[in-house]
Amino acid sequence: EAGIVILGAGQAGFQAAASLREAGHAGPLTLVGDEPWLPYQRPPLSKAYLAGKTDAEGLALRPAAFLAEHRIAYRPSLRAEAIDRAGRRLLTDDGPVPYDHLILATGSRNRPLPVPGADLDGVRQLRGLADADALKVDLARVGRVAVVGAGFIGLEFAAVAAARGLHVTVVEAAARPMARAVSAEMGAFFRAAHREAGVAFAFDAGVSEILGEAGRAVGLRLADGSAVPADLVLVGIGVLPNQEIASAAGLAAADGIRVDALLATQDPSISAIGDCARFPTRFARGLAADGTVRIESVQNAIDQGRALAARLTGRPAAYDAVPWFWSDQGPNKLQIAGLAAPGDEAVRRGDGNAFSVFRFREDRLAAVESVNRAGDHMIARRLIAAGTPLTPKQAADAAFDLKGLAL
Ligand code: FAD
């Protein structure tokens, strides 16, 4: 018996392994990953770990003993090159790994910045532990930092760098921060908060080149011709799903490996979960024409790992978890429930440094963004899961009993 093989030992792959054992899968279970460490959490890499508030041990999802106790055959530093579907084997640089069922949990990688100079020394990205370690060394020796992209990771990184007293400039192609993910109102709050912490911004600004001297980055050239001097450039312009191994094996993949509501690919012996998977969900209503999404979050990785483990141990159920996400930027905690689209109606509840923006699409509550208002976030998850009717007027009314509605 070949058992279940999981490709990718990140958040989703590890969760699937743990949940399979918890659900009673007794057969062989192999976890293959190309990184050398124990499976670890990525979120602290741009937060507590980068700021030196936790060490590498603190990142591990579980200690090594957990893998042994649960008979999870962990194969680190092993890269899979191809899937032999007919032979049911994963082909790796250390020989074939046979499977009865293959779980693809290959995650995503950073989108490269397609400009001259992107390969200079001093140009970095932040995806894995190795990136974070390199950045920690950099942060201790540079004075000026340029961040390309005002998304979650760029802004979290900017907050940590600014808190260390570095001179930080964030350059963003859109007109505001986190433009794809949050409302203009929430974006404005974070822009102001980062500015107060000393971060400078350039919006509507394209990067045309990374300037270099003797092989090292010395700044950015923007599309308008201006220059941003920097000793360190962090590129955070989104990710691409690691789907090539699936598409090369003939599985459908377009911005994500295509799976059904049970997280199965077209091959009944292969499933996909986490950042690499594109799946149908009711929460995509009015957002994607075909009703599918690909989500990059810890919640999605964990819940899909659990849902798939349930199916593979005889309890199939359509994946239907409410998407939620968080981002810590300096002292401010952003939490998002649901999936918003840039055109969604936005209604504010609360004020000052603690408020929520309720987003409505097609007359329904689609998402809630909260800053420093964890209570609203928890209520929002329940309202969105249940599809409880709520009007924009009720959401904006501080006297309206939201909590009572969610019970
Ligand atoms: P990954 O964690 O990327 O794991 C995939 C693994 O598969 C990787 O180790 C990869 O190297 C390996 N792999 C890929 N191809 C192969 C192959 N062919 N052979 C062998 N191994 C392979 N989410 C939140 O919800 N909140 C946050 O605050 C947050 N902060 C983040 C901060 C940072 C810096 C980053 C990078 C991500 C953050 N995320 C956050 C996103 C979250 O970490 C991801 O959504 C999550 O890790 C996805 O899990 P995954 O298992 O799908 O992919």
Side-chain angles (χ1 to χ4, degrees):
E1 192 192 0
I4 299 175
V5 173
I6 303 170
L7 179 61
Q11 190 89 50
F14 175 80
Q15 185 64 49
S19 294
L20 277 164
R21 285 300 186 220
E22 204 177 313
H25 170 70
L29 183 52
T30 305
L31 181 60
V32 174
D34 58 4
E35 292 185 84
W37 303 282
L38 283 174
Y40 65 95
Q41 326 166 45
R42 296 182 194 281
L45 296 180
S46 49
K47 308 176 182 76
Y49 185 75
L50 192 66
K53 291 177 188 155
T54 184
D55 58 10
E57 221 164 278
L59 298 178
L61 285 161
R62 289 286 187 288
F66 179 93
L67 296 167
E69 272 162 30
H70 293 80
R71 291 177 297 115
I72 298 167
Y74 179 41
R75 304 200 51 189
S77 303
L78 182 58
R79 176 143 190 99
E81 305 296 349
I83 305 166
D84 168 14
R85 286 172 56 194
R88 291 211 192 161
R89 299 181 310 166
L90 198 55
L91 305 181
T92 78
D93 48 21
D94 190 36
V97 178
Y99 63 81
D100 295 318
H101 193 92
L102 175 64
I103 299 174
L104 298 175
T106 50
S108 54
R109 61 183 181 274
N110 287 316
R111 185 187 291 277
L113 183 67
V115 302
D119 53 357
L120 288 164
D121 284 346
V123 180
R124 295 212 187 269
Q125 55 166 6
L126 179 45
R127 177 76 203 168
L129 192 41
D131 299 322
D133 283 337
L135 283 165
K136 276 170 91 168
V137 173
D138 290 342
L139 285 178
R141 67 178 180 211
V142 304
R144 292 164 310 177
V145 177
V147 177
V148 182
F152 299 115
I153 289 175
L155 293 176
E156 290 179 0
F157 179 83
V160 172
R164 294 184 62 131
L166 304 184
H167 189 282
V168 184
T169 305
V170 178
V171 176
E172 165 61 48
R176 54 190 177 83
M178 302 176 281
R180 277 180 310 139
V182 304
S183 61
E185 200 155 356
M186 189 58 75
F189 171 84
F190 275 92
R191 182 181 56 214
H194 286 291
R195 274 195 177 137
E196 225 167 278
V199 175
F201 284 99
F203 289 105
D204 294 309
V207 174
S208 53
E209 185 185 354
I210 298 178
L211 304 169
E213 270 169 29
R216 268 206 80 81
V218 295
L220 306 177
R221 170 80 62 209
L222 304 188
D224 68 3
S226 62
V228 177
D231 321 305
L232 171 66
V233 176
L234 189 274
V235 178
I237 55 169
V239 300
L240 299 169
N242 292 324
Q243 63 185 25
E244 291 75 8
I245 197 164
S247 45
L251 299 172
D255 188 20
I257 302 166
R258 190 59 196 262
V259 293
D260 63 18
L262 293 170
L263 309 173
T265 68
Q266 306 131 276
D267 183 332
S269 302
I270 305 180
S271 304
I273 55 174
D275 277 21
C276 70
R278 172 165 287 273
F279 61 97
T281 167
R282 65 186 161 115
F283 305 110
R285 189 165 23 219
L287 191 133
D290 69 353
T292 70
V293 289
R294 193 177 63 71
I295 297 182
E296 300 144 16
S297 75
V298 166
Q299 169 276 321
N300 186 65
I302 289 178
D303 287 341
Q304 291 195 336
R306 287 182 178 146
L308 179 56
R311 167 159 67 84
L312 296 179
T313 52
R315 288 173 295 120
Y319 178 70
D320 191 41
V322 177
W324 60 266
F325 183 81
W326 80 95
S327 173
D328 299 335
Q329 299 177 23
N332 297 305
K333 187 171 191 77
L334 172 65
Q335 291 169 292
I336 304 173
L339 296 177
D344 294 351
E345 185 179 353
V347 171
R348 183 177 174 133
R349 186 179 179 91
D351 45 38
N353 286 341
F355 65 92
S356 295
V357 178
F358 285 63
R359 313 287 305 272
F360 292 85
R361 181 167 69 247
E362 296 178 355
D363 293 325
R364 256 176 235 269
L365 181 64
V368 177
E369 308 152 4
S370 305
V371 59
N372 306 323
R373 277 216 3 163
D376 281 1
H377 175 71
M378 295 313 293
I379 292 169
R381 283 201 221 165
R382 277 187 266 160
L383 293 176
I384 294 169
T388 310
L390 177 77
T391 66
K393 214 172 140 205
Q394 290 170 328
D397 179 0
F400 180 78
D401 180 15
L402 262 189
K403 200 170 179 182
L405 190 66
L407 289 177

